[in-house]
Structures are given as structure tokens and as C-alpha cells.
Amino acid sequence: MHKMKSKLIVSIVVTLLGFSLVPPLFAVDYLHPDDFDEKSWSKVIDYLEYVDVYAAAHGKPRPPAGARANLYMTYVNQHGVQMLYAGLSNITMGLGKLSVTLPIQTFMMHFKTENESRNTVTASSYIMLLAYNESESTVYDDSPDKNDTLYASFSMGFDLSALLSTDAPALNSRTEITPLTNPEEDRWSWGMTYTNLTAIWWRVFIDPANCSYTSIPVAVSVYEQLTFTYDLVFDEANNTASITSSYVIGRMTDLWVIDSWWWFLPVIVHYNSTGCYRLDQSLYSEETIYQFLNNHGISMSMVFFQASAVLDRGSQSRVSGHDVSEDEIDVSNETIVTATEDGERISDVDFSDKETYVLHNFTSGTDQTYDAVTRTANRTGFARNPIFKIQTFLMNYIPLALAHMDEPLYQQAKQHLLNMTYADYFYIISYPTYSGYRVEHDPLYTVYFADAQPLEAPNVGGVIVLAVIVCAVVLVVGLVLRRRT
């Protein structure tokens, strides 16, 4: 993407504001307080409807009129651990019915620590795809850093095909859910897939001294899918709850970029698996989308962040004695340990157990295994970046949910949970060999809990509601990643 300019056709951006909402593909349910007394459930809800009812009843600021946030949620309450997953389908803003499909994923656990039975909330959240081109001055090989050319991906729920060419593929992203199942007594499975994912790319900067992005997109692309599947396993004998999280980044099928400028008008070309075309579908060159991405050195990565809240205790996440909240460390072969300030283990993340990913080469039809690179990242460069305005739009409503939690924990955590700069740490998993082909990877997340004891009913619902909001705004309360062989 060296040749990608800092502007994309302005008419696309302007026209976006006039599109109608893409209707949801599934019925929207409602969140009830007594839902959290059940052992398990899954449903799709409009979370802002829930927030609006609460805000009206308690004199709190209400969401903008017409705003919606559709979330797919699953809930499991077993062995004294409450797990809630929430995947964001789309956010609809009132003005112009602007619908934004954001593939944001959060899963959380509420439990008491193994030794001291301290009330703890942990979670992990996927934020975005981040494409990158390494510069000659790169700081970390095979990992996106502040000296590289970075492109942040955000997905819009619009059909843009009419703006690009008469026979372009339909560009309206869709969401499919995998229902929660319980194949074994202590095992649960579920998932979510974004199909025909239309990504709009912005040039972004993550240097803490320059947290910014180019306000006009630089490219539009389409992926076959972005899939998240989860497998939760309880090991009561060892007091662990583990979630195997499998990621599939589908192959990129279409890419529109600016090739040149004619006076003040951009000349846009369309790459796919057969070549490069002008918008009238005449052949521009025989360079395919995969050759283009390879020739321009484009790699792909996924960005996550984590935090933690423990009643009456602070927590720290370290690797080899280094605080990973600010230090940028290659942890591909390391273990991040999260513990209370007095040393009780909450969770850990062992990245060395799963160092590889599978890349399916669409052109040759072969699968190859490559090394993934995982690095912690300076949180300031992400947390203060204005590109997250859409995701953080619901942040003001977090106290509404925390108020339902255990009061001491609420008072302790509410200020930190409003600000992404208080996350335990950010980390980036990068896939250096890419070329636009399908990537498959599957990390494992684990927490350590006390012997099973029933949690007080008033606290359960509040913690779960917290996780729902957390997902919608990409504000999380940390979990641990261990890699699976």
C-alpha cells in the first residue's frame, strides 16, 4: 500500500451518511434481571434499549434517539464462575440511520480467586484488524510498530457496490451466529461470523506522541469472513476455566485503491483474484489482489486489550519482571503473569504454546504453517486514538451497569473502567506472511478460581451487564491468554 494515497473518493464517504440501516438478520430479544439466575442462555439484544429504560427510570443521561447496539450474547454459570460472551453485530446512530458493523468481541469471567477468594472480574476483547507495511526503520521485525505504515480496519454495514461499479459484489456485511451448545457436562461451545466483511481502511498512527489517523479512508476491501469460535472447558479438579478461541480471517476477495489523480479527481482501480480493473470493468493490469498485497509488503495483525478488577486490591501484569502495561515486548515465547499487588495469581498467558498459524493459499490451494509474532504494545497510542470514537460512544453508560454490582467493587473500579488508558495491557498478534489469504489461529485463555461457591444473586447480573457494555465500547476488564499446542 505504498502507492495508496491519503484520500479516497469523497463521494463514497459523503454518500455513506445517506444510506438506510441494513436490517438485522435475527430477532432482537431483551435482557431480564432474572436471566442471570439460569445456568446458561444465548440471545441477541439491543443493549441501548436496555440502557435507555434504566436511564429514564433513574434520571441518568439517555442514549441518542434512534441509536441501537445489537449484541449476540452467551452466558454460562457453572462451578462458581460466571462467563459472558458478547459479540457486536452493529451500532446504529440516529442521524441518517447510520449503521456501522464493527466485529468487536468480548468474553469475560466473574469469579473468586483461588487462594483468597477475592471478588474478581476479568475479560478479553478483540478490537480490530491492523494491516501494516514494515519500514526500513521498523522497531520490531514482523510486528506493527510506530515506525511502520499502519492501516486500521473498520467495517460499515452498507451496500457500496453502486458507487464502485455496476457489477461489483454486494458490499453489505452480514452477521451469522453459532448457537451455544453444551456437548459435555463441563464444556460449552459457541461463535460468531461476519460474512462478506466490507472493511474501510484508514492510515493510522500509534506513536504515543502522535495518536491520530487520516480522516479520509485510503482503501476499501472485502473479506469472505471473519470468524470467532469459542470452546469453554471447566477443570474443577484444578480450579481452572479455559476458553479456546479460534480465529479465521477469510481471504480478501476485492480491493479498491487510488492508483493516481486526474486533476483533483481520484482514479480508483479494483483488484480481485483475476486482475486489476477500472471502474468500468475494463482491464487495467493483470496484477491480482494477492500479487498487489505481496508486492507492497502488506502483512496482517489483530489487536486486543485487557484489564482486571479485584476487590480491594490492585493488579499487575508482568513478563520476566517487566510491566507490560507500557513496555513493548515480544512475548511470542513468553508468559505474561497477572497477579494482585500482594502476589496472588489471577491469570497468566503463555504465548509459547501456540506460536504458529495456518495460511491457506487460495491461488495454489495449499496450506502452510508460519510463525505468529505476539507483542505487547504501548497502550497510549491506541487508547487515545480518535479512530475509536465510534467504539467508545457508549462509554458514558458504563456506570449504569456497574451500579448493579457489588458496591465496594463499583466504587473502586468505575473511574478506571471509563478509560482505555487504564487497561492492563494491549497486545498484537501479527501474521507476517499474508498476501490476502485465509489465516487460521487458535489461542487459549485461562483463569484460576476458588472452589465452587454460589455467588450472591444481586452481584451476578451486574457483572454480566458490565461485560455487555464493555463489549459494545471495547472497554474490557482483563483475562489471560495461554496458547494451545
Side-chain angles (χ1 to χ4, degrees):
M1 293 184 186
H2 285 311
K3 294 183 179 179
M4 286 187 177
K5 313 301 181 182
S6 62
K7 297 181 179 180
L8 187 64
I9 184 168
V10 177
S11 62
I12 294 179
V13 180
V14 173
T15 307
L16 289 179
L17 299 177
F19 275 96
S20 298
L21 168 66
V22 175
L25 298 182
F26 28 69
V28 177
D29 206 334
Y30 192 77
L31 183 64
H32 301 279
D34 56 359
D35 286 342
F36 306 105
D37 297 330
E38 300 180 19
K39 181 179 181 180
S40 67
W41 47 259
S42 63
K43 62 173 66 180
V44 176
I45 71 163
D46 172 12
Y47 186 72
L48 283 185
E49 179 183 10
Y50 179 85
V51 169
D52 188 58
V53 171
Y54 180 92
H58 294 80
K60 302 293 185 179
R62 300 174 66 176
R68 300 172 62 91
N70 291 329
L71 305 174
Y72 169 51
M73 302 190 308
T74 65
Y75 171 70
V76 175
N77 181 1
Q78 193 171 0
H79 300 306
V81 177
Q82 285 72 46
M83 186 288 303
L84 179 109
Y85 155 87
L88 181 60
S89 174
N90 57 62
I91 295 177
T92 304
M93 314 297 282
L95 178 62
K97 296 292 185 180
L98 175 62
S99 175
V100 182
T101 300
L102 295 172
I104 300 167
Q105 301 279 301
T106 292
F107 57 85
M108 61 81 67
M109 294 185 191
H110 175 224
F111 60 99
K112 292 188 177 181
T113 57
E114 186 174 13
N115 297 323
E116 300 297 331
S117 293
R118 289 163 174 158
N119 196 12
T120 304
V121 183
T122 67
S124 180
S125 209
Y126 161 82
I127 300 175
M128 67 175 177
L129 294 175
L130 183 69
Y132 67 98
N133 173 268
E134 288 200 336
S135 68
E136 294 182 356
S137 59
T138 189
V139 181
Y140 303 99
D141 292 337
D142 296 330
S143 182
D145 58 61
K146 64 182 182 180
N147 287 353
D148 296 332
T149 304
L150 309 177
Y151 304 95
S153 166
F154 286 87
S155 303
M156 311 295 282
F158 303 112
D159 185 348
L160 305 180
S161 56
L163 298 177
L164 298 172
S165 64
T166 56
D167 59 351
L171 303 184
N172 47 319
S173 304
R174 298 290 183 177
T175 306
E176 298 175 357
I177 61 176
T178 302
L180 179 69
T181 60
N182 184 201
E184 301 172 16
E185 173 60 26
D186 286 332
R187 178 184 171 193
W188 302 81
S189 300
W190 69 95
M192 191 169 184
T193 297
Y194 303 87
T195 63
N196 204 37
L197 185 62
T198 305
I200 298 181
W201 298 87
W202 274 271
R203 177 78 167 90
V204 66
F205 303 88
I206 60 171
D207 186 336
N210 177 25
C211 307
S212 63
Y213 74 103
T214 302
S215 58
I216 297 178
V218 298
V220 175
S221 68
V222 178
Y223 293 90
E224 287 187 326
Q225 63 172 302
L226 182 59
T227 297
F228 301 84
T229 54
Y230 304 90
D231 198 58
L232 167 64
V233 176
F234 291 95
D235 183 350
E236 191 176 13
N238 293 305
N239 290 351
T240 64
S242 302
I243 297 180
T244 301
S245 179
S246 299
Y247 310 134
V248 176
I249 304 173
R251 70 182 179 97
M252 190 183 293
T253 59
D254 298 271
L255 176 68
W256 289 265
V257 299
I258 296 176
D259 179 75
S260 60
W261 288 83
W262 185 74
W263 294 91
F264 60 91
L265 296 176
V267 177
I268 299 176
V269 293
H270 171 206
Y271 288 89
N272 61 25
S273 62
T274 63
C276 178
Y277 300 87
R278 301 178 181 88
L279 295 189
D280 63 3
Q281 293 303 297
S282 62
L283 183 66
Y284 183 74
S285 77
E286 295 184 353
E287 184 180 30
T288 68
I289 183 174
Y290 311 111
Q291 292 169 335
F292 175 86
L293 294 172
N294 184 68
N295 292 338
H296 289 79
I298 300 301
S299 298
M300 188 56 65
S301 65
M302 303 176 78
V303 182
F304 303 78
F305 82 92
Q306 305 182 178
S308 58
V310 184
L311 183 61
D312 297 329
R313 288 290 185 278
S315 63
Q316 293 179 326
S317 297
R318 295 180 177 275
V319 58
S320 301
H322 297 284
D323 183 353
V324 295
S325 63
E326 295 295 348
D327 290 346
E328 298 190 313
I329 302 172
D330 186 329
V331 294
S332 303
N333 298 291
E334 300 285 352
T335 298
I336 297 178
V337 178
T338 300
T340 61
E341 56 192 3
D342 59 355
E344 183 181 15
R345 180 179 64 177
I346 300 170
S347 52
D348 60 74
V349 48
D350 183 1
F351 292 95
S352 63
D353 285 350
K354 183 63 179 180
E355 299 180 63
T356 61
Y357 64 99
V358 175
L359 188 71
H360 176 73
N361 187 311
F362 170 80
T363 303
S364 65
T366 60
D367 290 335
Q368 291 183 278
T369 300
Y370 297 93
D371 289 338
V373 177
T374 305
R375 178 178 61 82
T376 58
N378 186 296
R379 58 188 176 186
T380 304
F382 288 98
R384 295 181 181 175
N385 202 301
I387 201 168
F388 293 111
K389 285 182 179 179
I390 294 177
Q391 288 139 307
T392 57
F393 133 78
L394 298 178
M395 198 171 291
N396 290 333
Y397 303 111
I398 289 176
L400 302 183
L402 292 179
H404 291 287
M405 287 179 60
D406 179 88
E407 184 66 19
L409 184 58
Y410 163 62
Q411 293 298 334
Q412 172 182 309
K414 63 180 182 180
Q415 296 302 324
H416 285 190
L417 292 176
L418 286 173
N419 196 328
M420 284 167 43
T421 59
Y422 288 100
D424 284 355
Y425 56 94
F426 282 74
Y427 69 91
I428 305 172
I429 301 176
S430 59
Y431 309 110
T433 303
Y434 174 56
S435 297
Y437 296 125
R438 188 176 75 231
V439 173
E440 300 176 6
H441 197 210
D442 56 346
L444 176 68
Y445 299 74
T446 305
V447 298
Y448 303 87
F449 58 86
D451 290 336
Q453 297 178 6
L455 294 176
E456 297 81 358
N459 292 342
V460 174
V463 173
I464 297 305
V465 174
L466 162 65
V468 176
I469 302 180
V470 162
C471 169
V473 301
V474 200
L475 186 65
V476 293
V477 278
L479 199 63
V480 166
L481 173 63
R482 278 179 71 190
R483 302 292 183 132
R484 179 182 68 175
T485 54

